[in-house]
Amino acid sequence: MDVSALRPTVTELRLSSFAAHRGRILPLGPVTLFAGPSGSGKSTALRAYAALAGLGAGAALGEVFPDPAGCVPEGAARDGQGRRGFRIGCTVDGPEGPVRLDVAVQTDPELRLVGERLTAGGRTLLSSALRDPGRSCVQAAWHTAGDAGVTRAPLPDDLLGTALLPLRVAGTTDGQRQVLAAAEQVVVALRSVFPCDPRPERMREPVAPGEGRLRPGCDNLAAVLHRTRHECTRRHARLTSVARAGCAGPVSEVGVEELTDGTVRAVLGRGAPESTGLPTPLGRLGDGELRFLALALVLLTGPGVLAVDQAAEVPRALQSLTVLAENLDRALDTAQLRALLALAASVCADGHMRLVGEVGEGAATRGIQGVTVVDLVR
């Protein structure tokens, strides 16, 4: 059996009514780029994905949507009770087949999750709706397939019901087990997300060695390299090879120097040990070179090194990590961008990692095998 078919992965993002998007369905492959001019909704699409990931991880609605009014489509009218909101969803493929999750969020007069639907194989496994606006809960019903057919109970209106099902469903009937398996598939896929936007201005100074887990802004890059150069020698050697395509001048090693104050800084070796070429501190590199190295490191290290909390109860072989890369092409020249995407296509081919990013017009990304470009327009 193809193991990749057992890894839960988000294969479709639906923006039914979200900010600038209406009725938009975005397919997601191993490497997917949202391309388009400013204002076309590229970052908004990534924001929707990240929000679903947060909800799947159990975060509250207010944490996931700090500016809910900005998610409401422009010009959206209030209903007779002064309510308005937005709708997003996704499809997750895995051992249970395609499972769809759709959520409706009310932003006015107060933020709450007013509708949710989990479906698979043409059957509704979970549905919820706001019945009493005066109560901070929704009425939910999930498939049971026993004598009752469905089970009904209230759920909080600020948390994703799908993520709560393992706490509510006993799993004693075939129907309940189907509900649990579908919910687990969705939650595992959504939790396995690493938002990444390297910030060169935060990557130039020496840092304490620390635990060596890379943060989304990559500001602790030197600490991570300090760890991985010894723990992941094969991948570190590949990072050095990739660095030659994205950094000016000769590169013999991506290394780390331990400074007298106990901090570490990353450096580029510039020649063989017997040469007179001195290493270059990464702090002297341009923004594009730093972003290139940081993104390459993200692709080559995986969840054991990245600051992401995946589902511990699922074997690592059955997990797939998705990197959400905002402004992927920022500060990168064409050669750097294409080299980075070629690396991504190679790394993501086995299904352990996926990349969803946003780029400008996307001309430089065309024609790279394994890369899907989704064009967005204003």
Side-chain angles (χ1 to χ4, degrees):
M1 177 182 290
D2 182 6
V3 176
S4 63
L6 300 178
R7 299 189 189 109
T9 54
V10 179
T11 55
E12 181 181 80
L13 180 65
R14 289 186 299 281
L15 308 177
S16 302
S17 176
F18 187 76
H21 300 283
R22 290 182 181 271
R24 178 94 70 176
I25 299 176
L26 303 175
L28 303 176
V31 180
T32 305
L33 303 177
F34 300 142
S38 177
S40 60
K42 306 183 300 292
S43 60
T44 301
L46 280 187
R47 180 157 47 108
Y49 194 136
L52 287 169
L55 291 174
L61 207 58
E63 180 183 350
V64 171
F65 297 106
D67 178 27
C71 302
V72 178
E74 187 175 355
R78 301 175 187 270
D79 66 11
Q81 296 178 306
R83 300 175 300 187
R84 62 177 190 159
F86 56 86
R87 291 178 293 124
I88 57 177
C90 64
T91 299
V92 177
D93 280 12
E96 299 303 309
V99 180
R100 289 171 55 103
L101 171 68
D102 294 282
V103 297
V105 177
Q106 173 189 291
T107 60
D108 300 304
E110 58 184 320
L111 182 64
R112 58 200 313 182
L113 202 159
V114 296
E116 180 177 350
R117 187 174 297 272
L118 184 72
T119 59
R123 169 173 286 161
T124 298
L125 302 179
L126 167 71
S127 64
S128 69
L130 181 65
R131 301 300 184 192
D132 183 356
R135 301 180 61 192
S136 58
C137 64
V138 293
Q139 187 63 34
W142 53 84
H143 180 58
T144 302
D147 294 337
V150 298
T151 300
R152 303 182 189 278
L155 292 178
D157 66 356
D158 64 340
L159 297 173
L160 187 71
T162 297
L164 297 175
L165 285 177
L167 303 176
R168 296 297 191 102
V169 180
T172 55
T173 69
D174 289 341
Q176 289 177 342
R177 286 188 285 271
Q178 182 185 10
V179 170
L180 286 174
E184 180 184 75
Q185 179 168 300
V186 170
V187 169
V188 168
L190 290 178
R191 283 181 57 179
S192 304
V193 166
F194 182 67
C196 182
D197 185 11
R199 301 288 183 172
E201 66 275 12
R202 302 176 185 174
M203 297 161 57
R204 300 184 186 280
E205 299 300 321
V207 297
E211 65 174 350
R213 297 189 76 196
L214 191 66
R215 294 190 283 264
C218 301
D219 45 295
N220 62 332
L221 177 72
V224 174
L225 289 172
H226 183 259
R227 168 190 169 186
T228 60
R229 67 187 302 212
H230 299 297
E231 291 184 3
C232 313
T233 54
R234 181 179 61 82
R235 292 182 179 182
H236 193 84
R238 190 174 181 187
L239 176 65
T240 296
S241 176
V242 170
R244 298 188 182 105
C247 299
V251 176
S252 59
E253 182 191 14
V254 180
V256 178
E257 287 185 343
E258 299 183 5
L259 304 181
T260 56
D261 62 357
T263 61
V264 295
R265 68 176 180 181
V267 298
L268 290 185
R270 292 302 194 182
E274 66 273 10
S275 73
T276 57
L278 297 176
T280 301
L282 260 61
R284 296 182 183 177
L285 300 183
D287 286 0
E289 292 172 302
L290 282 172
R291 281 181 56 83
F292 178 88
L293 285 173
L295 290 165
L297 180 63
V298 168
L299 292 168
L300 287 171
T301 52
V305 176
L306 306 179
V308 57
D309 182 23
Q310 290 189 286
E313 64 274 14
V314 179
R316 182 166 295 182
L318 300 183
Q319 295 191 25
S320 177
L321 176 70
T322 297
V323 177
L324 296 184
E326 189 174 355
N327 302 306
L328 178 64
D329 58 347
R330 188 177 68 224
L332 301 182
D333 61 30
T334 298
Q336 289 171 328
L337 179 58
R338 292 185 67 85
L340 186 67
L341 291 176
L343 172 65
S346 172
V347 169
C348 297
D350 68 0
H352 279 289
M353 181 171 287
R354 295 164 73 87
L355 173 67
V356 181
E358 56 153 318
V359 296
E361 299 292 344
T365 65
R366 313 287 176 180
I368 301 177
Q369 187 173 1
V371 176
T372 300
V373 181
V374 178
D375 291 300
L376 302 180
V377 295
R378 290 191 183 96

